[in-house]
Amino acid sequence: VLITGPIVYPKRKGPMSRYTHSASWYDSVSAEPIYRVGRECAIPALHLQEGSRVLDIGCGTGLNFPLLLAAVGPRGQVVGVDRSREMLEVARRKTIHAPPGNVVLVEADAEQFDHVAAGLDGSGATFDAVLFTYSLSLMGNWEAAWLRATSLVRPGGRAAVVDMGLPHGWARLLDPAARLACRLGGADINARPWTLLERTAHDVQSWSFRGGHVQVRAGTL
Ligand SMILES: C[S@@+](CC[C@H](N)C(=O)[O-])C[C@H]1O[C@@H](n2cnc3c(N)ncnc32)[C@H](O)[C@@H]1O
């Protein structure tokens, strides 16, 4: 497992500092019983095969990695991009026994991500799929992150977005809890970043869980 970078970006206050100090206990407080459903839905929708290459943008501590690695196998590759070295360190420790090249971790800001500077293959759209789980709604310029990442996916490749929205219907009772979860995580609950995928991809599939709080979209680029 290789961590490339660091690529130096201006220090940020607010949401980003959360993912430096909280990295070591993130997995314990990340409410997986609520949010895991998003990963379990989105990752099969990427249609990964043995040997596929997949980008995980804002990969954090690598909670997607077991499912991604099971799909791409030992000859495939999972490239995780995150701007928090502390989160990547946790991901690195979890994947230490992966075969060489099976997992690559890139310390970079997804909004300004230069894949060549990050040491990745410079030959363009070489990924089969890209995944964003609970990360775009934290980014100031998620359109830029989407464009950069999807430009690295081959035509006909797949993309999936999992993110948090406001609950609806009966689940509006959960509204305060949903807002609190987003505030604690630094996410903008009104961002609705999956709309980008809806506008840009083909064959869009949609799922909604937890009364609309967990939104999943997948499609072909
Ligand atoms: C709520 S965590 C989600 C982590 C992981 N995707 C998951 O599903 O558990 C959000 C992650 O996005 C990362 N992140 C936020 N803004 C970023 C940016 N502009 N570039 C790269 N990573 C970013 C944070 O460092 C953090 O690790």
Side-chain angles (χ1 to χ4, degrees):
V1 184
L2 176 72
I3 300 188
T4 71
I7 301 170
V8 180
Y9 300 104
K11 283 250 178 272
R12 279 193 192 174
K13 293 202 167 117
M16 286 319 303
S17 56
R18 284 185 181 86
Y19 296 100
T20 55
H21 305 308
S22 65
S24 54
W25 37 270
Y26 173 83
D27 285 8
S28 323
V29 297
S30 63
E32 272 300 274
I34 295 172
Y35 295 113
R36 185 175 169 78
V37 67
R39 316 177 196 289
E40 289 176 339
C41 175
I43 291 171
L46 293 175
H47 301 171
L48 298 168
Q49 296 173 359
E50 286 272 325
S52 291
R53 292 184 78 211
V54 58
L55 265 174
D56 184 351
I57 302 290
C59 65
T61 61
L63 287 173
N64 293 323
F65 288 3
L67 293 171
L68 291 175
L69 287 168
V72 303
R75 289 201 309 274
Q77 190 174 58
V78 175
V79 175
V81 176
D82 202 287
R83 58 173 291 156
S84 163
R85 174 162 281 255
E86 290 77 5
M87 296 290 272
L88 291 176
E89 262 305 318
V90 177
R92 189 185 65 80
R93 284 200 296 272
K94 287 187 203 165
T95 51
I96 204 120
H97 298 299
N102 199 204
V103 178
V104 173
L105 301 172
V106 179
E107 182 187 0
D109 185 332
E111 296 163 54
Q112 317 172 39
F113 177 43
D114 177 338
H115 68 289
V116 180
L120 293 179
D121 192 334
S123 55
T126 58
F127 286 89
D128 298 292
V130 60
L131 175 66
F132 306 81
T133 59
Y134 309 110
S135 58
L136 283 177
S137 60
L138 269 89
M139 298 183 194
N141 189 352
W142 38 268
E143 290 92 343
W146 167 266
L147 285 175
R148 279 174 192 277
T150 53
S151 73
L152 300 176
V153 177
R154 63 172 170 79
R158 301 280 295 171
V161 172
V162 181
D163 225 308
M164 293 176 284
L166 282 168
H168 45 69
W170 65 266
R172 266 187 296 190
L173 289 172
L174 305 175
D175 195 283
R179 286 179 190 274
L180 180 65
C182 288
R183 180 134 29 91
L184 291 175
D188 175 2
I189 201 166
N190 296 308
R192 301 170 60 81
W194 54 85
T195 53
L196 259 177
L197 188 150
E198 291 173 339
R199 276 184 267 133
T200 329
H202 311 283
D203 312 324
V204 176
Q205 297 168 281
S206 312
W207 298 267
S208 167
F209 301 98
R210 313 297 184 224
H213 180 47
V214 174
Q215 294 286 335
V216 182
R217 300 291 183 280
T220 303
L221 294 171

